[in-house]
Amino acid sequence: QVQLVESGGGLVQAGGSLRLSCAASQRTFSTYVMGWFRQAPGKEREFVATITRNGGIVTYADFVKGRFTISRDNAKNTVYLQMNSLQFDDTAVYYCCAARRVGAQYDYWGQGTLVTVSE
């Protein structure tokens, strides 16, 4: 299977920025649709963003409101989530995931990286 390892989480003050990374063990990383989900304390896991194989199409949840950018570097087998203007409500564990094709279920998930935004 594909192993996904997130990194880049941490503590940041409101209004600050973080860039999350998700490194994949699979050399065929470029064939996967990648996504980010998050789970805040006491809430269900929710969709954040997706990006197609070549990065041509990106999709964001409404709450992103232009603050986040998903990107990928297939040469590095890595997907990123740049998060700007972070707010307290963005506090969550962020999970990277991968699907074999657009519209398919996410077959692989990382362990998550914690983002904590202080007020």
Side-chain angles (χ1 to χ4, degrees):
Q1 287 192 343
V2 176
Q3 281 75 52
L4 303 174
V5 181
E6 303 96 332
S7 62
L11 176 64
V12 63
Q13 294 186 8
S17 299
L18 286 173
R19 188 177 77 158
L20 306 184
S21 298
C22 174
S25 63
Q26 176 60 252
R27 66 176 183 174
T28 58
F29 168 80
S30 63
T31 68
Y32 288 88
V33 176
M34 303 298 297
W36 288 95
F37 283 70
R38 72 182 187 183
Q39 187 166 22
K43 297 183 179 180
E44 296 182 355
R45 187 172 297 186
E46 63 181 342
F47 165 78
V48 177
T50 59
I51 186 167
T52 53
R53 296 176 180 85
N54 63 359
I57 302 174
V58 296
T59 305
Y60 298 101
D62 182 66
F63 67 77
V64 168
K65 299 179 181 179
R67 299 178 300 128
F68 298 176
T69 302
I70 187 171
S71 62
R72 67 192 297 164
D73 187 340
N74 289 339
K76 297 181 178 179
N77 290 357
T78 303
V79 63
Y80 305 95
L81 184 68
Q82 177 67 46
M83 304 188 294
N84 301 322
S85 301
L86 284 163
Q87 304 298 319
F88 178 76
D89 288 345
D90 294 317
T91 296
V93 177
Y94 285 72
Y95 297 91
C96 176
C97 55
R100 288 185 171 89
R101 63 184 187 276
V102 174
Q105 64 189 14
Y106 290 102
D107 295 318
Y108 309 104
W109 294 81
Q111 85 290 342
T113 185
L114 177 63
V115 172
T116 303
V117 184
S118 62
E119 297 180 283

